[in-house]
Amino acid sequence: MNTALPATLDHRLARFPFPFPEDAYRYSANVEPALTTVATPAGSWGDKLIEIDGDYRAELAERDAILRRDPSRLALLDHMRPAAWDALLTVLETLASEYPEDMEFSRAGRACRWNNRLLGEEWEFTVGDDSSLPGGPLGFLSSQVQEDIVLLDQREDALWLDGGVVTFAADWSMGFDVGMRFLEVHGPVPRIREEEIITRAQQFLMRLQPGQDYRRSNWTMTVGRRLDTSIETYPEWGPDRTSVADDPALPARLHLRVEVQHLVRLPRSGALMFLVRTHLASLEELATVPAWRERLGKVLAELPEDMADYKGISRYRHAASRWLLGA
Amino acid sequence: MNVLELAVADSKYIAPDIREIVLRRISAGQQEVLPSYIPGSHIVIECGGRANAYSLTGSGDSPEEYRISVQLRPDGRGGSSAVHRFRHGERVKVSGPRSAFPPVATARRHLLIAGGIGITPILSHLRAAAAWGREAELLYSFRPGHAAHLEDIRALCGSSPSLFLMEFTERKAFRTGLAEALRRQPLGTHLHVCGPLGFMDSVIAEARSACWPESRLHLEAFGAADLDPGKPFTAHLARTGRSVDVPSGTSLLEALENSGVPVPNLCRQGVCGECRIPVSKGRPEHRDLYLSESDKAANTTIMCCVSRSHEPHLELEL
Ligand code: HEM
Ligand code: FES
């Protein structure tokens, strides 16, 4: 099956961070240094901290619309203001160095100038003055990158999810989780507490120093090219999980959803920044790469029931696997 | 760890035995700004075959230079004499800033306490407090005529209504001032102290006796965030009969890779579990977060990205 694909799709697959190194998937503390390029059968990914692609404008417009409808997707506890400014400066500096053609950042004292040619926007703002940017530092930052942004404070020997803008959550809620400890945030995930994965991950994260950026990937499945699968909108997308199972259009509707998550110790405030960049590819698209088709088919068939239940894919995963392995 | 090569751009004596050194990038231009740092961070300077940690004294926000203040120790400990001999323009290898003494974002108020040269990380905290309008009170104890940065500090505290300064040149007055300060802080104040060990101990003891909870007491513990470079040892590969030397500062994983023995790995930080190797003889010095306590006690496996050997020889099933 090697149908010709439209150019945009080729681009998506070429940068797609296919997450399975083996035919079976289990949770592990799968963290690795950021900025190492990974070659795939369709191209490569991983050479950038912030990933801008052909869907840049569309995804930013979607985030803007979501935030207007539901401002609770942005949360920032008071003590995280310096962290939000730090996140803004750090990400704008990164954008300027990773996309020098399109992005420019300069600073003199507290006065900053930001030029985003992709959006045709130019801004001047003052570090620490929340009113100098629309949406404040965090809201503004979320209008410049496709990544969801989470900020964690470190204190009392723990990490606390004390701020962020998350419009593209995979079945969780920023408004609900804000103020929680890292371990509590991971409370619903099966296995990882017993296997001490999450306590080890926390210890590791607490020792991360500025400049030592790390990343990991995570995955689930989504019906439709839908980025917003947060708990708040469950009634809109939840029923699809059942209807897709015996829909002949399953291969086109069902998407593998991969999150590339970056872990960055912010260098001024000391907060931990967690960036989540969500990639979607339908089974039909993935099946154009034979190695991916087979690998995903096997992973879905083998996945233990508790993990499949947690990911919300139990109802259709075997149908998906059969199509991938049989088609 | 990222290493910066900087040049000594300026220096001056700011007290009879304390020299302030200013480090900048070698080639000015585009890349002029140095990596930002978290208040209270230190850099590690290599000199005279030793590596020493020194606190950075700025606020840490997009600095164009790193400033350290180094006290000359008569016994030459801490490499201070080598640093005091730095010439202008001299190139220096410096580790990127490391944070082990950060401010607490949720603190309602900061009680900063410095003894002598311990003022250096505290000054960094004070500058950041000034920049963000945080409330802070500084108790600074020093020998008369030997105070580093006193003018800076007075100017900072004079310029901001939320910063308060108390100076002490006598031990007894400091004790009384400290006892009072500890009792007058509002709930939610965090205490940060830096100075000679005995000084820090007595401040912490006084705070405990004034019923401060441990979670509000913070003392500078240099380099606690780093794994030390470790002693050199030799790894013997039982299956191939080869020997691989592992120098101080090189990990076992790096040494194996350098001698053409690839080992699967991911995090290189002792957390993911990928780089596990069976051990057949010797006692590994376990420094990872992956193995359980009983795994570690058994001494039959080692996470080679961070762990080393207690003894000069370690035999691996490779
Ligand atoms: C530091 C920032 C991190 C944040 C803010 C974060 C947040 C979250 C959230 C909100 C969920 C969904 C939980 C739910 O169902 O309500 C989740 C899932 C998960 N997280 Fe994290 N996480 C972080 C880092 C990590 C790290 C370093 C690991 C490494 C082990 C990890 C492992 C997992 C796993 C295994 C899941 C289950 C995912 C699935 O099966 O779909 N997380 N995380
Ligand atoms: S490489 Fe991850 S534990 Fe060693």
Side-chain angles (χ1 to χ4, degrees), chain A residues 27-29 31 150 152 161 171-172 177 182 185-186 188-189 192 197-198 201 205 216 218-219 263 272 274 310-311:
Chain A
Y27 293 137
S28 70
V31 291
V150 177
L152 296 98
L161 198 162
D171 203 2
W172 62 284
D177 279 7
F182 180 81
V185 167
H186 288 92
V189 184
I192 58 174
I197 291 170
I198 212 67
L205 293 175
R216 65 182 293 271
N218 189 31
W219 69 277
L263 298 150
L272 190 75
F274 180 65
Y310 170 71
K311 287 180 184 287

Side-chain angles (χ1 to χ4, degrees), chain A residues 4-15:
Chain A
L5 294 165
T8 52
L9 183 51
D10 271 344
H11 277 294
R12 273 190 201 141
L13 285 188
R15 299 287 290 172

Side-chain angles (χ1 to χ4, degrees), chain A residues 43-260:
Chain A
S44 71
W45 66 276
D47 54 334
K48 294 208 159 63
L49 196 76
I50 308 290
E51 175 78 12
I52 291 181
D53 65 12
D55 297 315
Y56 183 59
R57 285 166 157 281
E59 291 186 12
L60 293 183
E62 188 172 346
R63 173 172 293 135
D64 185 57
I66 293 168
L67 284 172
R68 276 169 208 278
R69 276 198 305 273
D70 181 3
S72 77
R73 307 296 184 90
L74 184 156
L76 190 66
L77 299 187
D78 225 26
H79 62 272
M80 296 302 274
R81 269 192 61 235
W85 279 102
D86 197 0
L88 176 68
L89 296 173
T90 303
V91 172
L92 296 189
E93 285 165 1
T94 305
L95 281 168
S97 78
E98 293 190 332
Y99 301 91
E101 313 277 279
D102 299 319
M103 311 277 178
E104 211 176 320
F105 177 73
S106 61
R107 174 172 179 185
R110 298 199 155 210
C112 300
R113 181 189 288 269
W114 170 243
N115 188 352
N116 180 335
R117 292 190 196 96
L118 289 180
L119 297 177
E121 291 180 0
E122 208 170 335
W123 296 93
E124 285 177 17
F125 60 90
T126 308
V127 177
D129 176 0
D130 286 18
S131 64
S132 65
L133 277 174
L138 193 55
F140 180 75
L141 176 54
S142 78
S143 74
Q144 305 292 305
V145 295
Q146 287 159 271
E147 281 74 6
D148 278 332
I149 306 149
V150 177
L151 300 175
L152 296 98
D153 186 29
Q154 184 163 329
R155 62 177 189 275
E156 295 161 30
D157 214 20
L159 290 164
W160 304 73
L161 198 162
D162 283 348
V165 185
V166 179
T167 50
F168 305 147
D171 203 2
W172 62 284
S173 157
M174 179 69 208
F176 183 73
D177 279 7
V178 68
M180 279 190 191
R181 284 189 181 83
F182 180 81
L183 297 184
E184 292 172 86
V185 167
H186 288 92
V189 184
R191 292 172 180 239
I192 58 174
R193 195 172 278 257
E194 298 85 308
E195 293 173 15
E196 283 181 30
I197 291 170
I198 212 67
T199 41
R200 279 204 306 268
Q202 175 170 263
Q203 285 187 61
F204 161 76
L205 293 175
M206 289 198 298
R207 299 203 309 208
L208 266 194
Q209 289 286 336
Q212 287 184 317
D213 302 342
Y214 269 72
R215 72 172 179 224
R216 65 182 293 271
S217 62
N218 189 31
W219 69 277
T220 185
M221 301 193 87
T222 302
V223 181
R225 264 202 82 72
R226 169 182 265 280
L227 285 167
D228 178 12
T229 52
S230 69
I231 300 225
E232 287 85 348
T233 52
Y234 184 81
E236 290 171 30
W237 54 269
D240 291 345
R241 288 175 165 186
T242 312
S243 73
V244 78
D246 34 40
D247 184 345
L250 175 142
R253 287 180 71 198
L254 192 58
H255 290 66
L256 176 62
R257 180 188 190 103
V258 182
E259 296 178 350
V260 175

Side-chain angles (χ1 to χ4, degrees), chain B residues 253 264-275 290 303-305:
Chain B
L253 173 61
N265 68 87
L266 196 59
C267 70
R268 304 176 82 94
Q269 292 271 328
V271 63
C272 75
E274 286 289 317
C275 70
Y290 181 79
M303 306 313 297
C304 65
C305 61

Side-chain angles (χ1 to χ4, degrees), chain B residues 67-111:
Chain B
R67 284 173 183 263
I68 56 171
S69 299
V70 181
Q71 184 166 39
L72 184 63
R73 310 226 179 217
D75 57 3
R77 248 187 333 122
S80 60
S81 54
V83 172
H84 272 247
R85 284 194 301 271
F86 277 161
R87 282 162 291 111
H88 285 199
E90 187 168 337
R91 293 182 176 201
V92 189
K93 280 215 174 87
V94 169
S95 74
R98 315 277 292 172
S99 166
F101 188 53
V104 175
T106 47
R108 239 179 92 191
R109 194 163 202 265
H110 299 267
L111 179 59

Side-chain angles (χ1 to χ4, degrees), chain B residues 172-229:
Chain B
K172 230 181 108 201
F174 174 71
R175 286 252 178 82
T176 319
L178 173 65
E180 274 172 24
L182 286 169
R183 279 165 185 86
R184 109 175 135 245
Q185 301 307 315
L187 220 65
T189 304
H190 280 253
L191 178 157
H192 284 80
V193 58
C194 185
L197 279 181
F199 177 85
M200 290 198 285
D201 285 348
S202 68
V203 168
I204 296 291
E206 185 70 35
R208 282 186 188 134
S209 75
C211 296
W212 281 59
E214 293 300 315
S215 59
R216 303 244 171 86
L217 305 177
H218 312 274
L219 51 130
E220 163 64 291
F222 263 121
D226 295 331
L227 283 178
D228 70 80

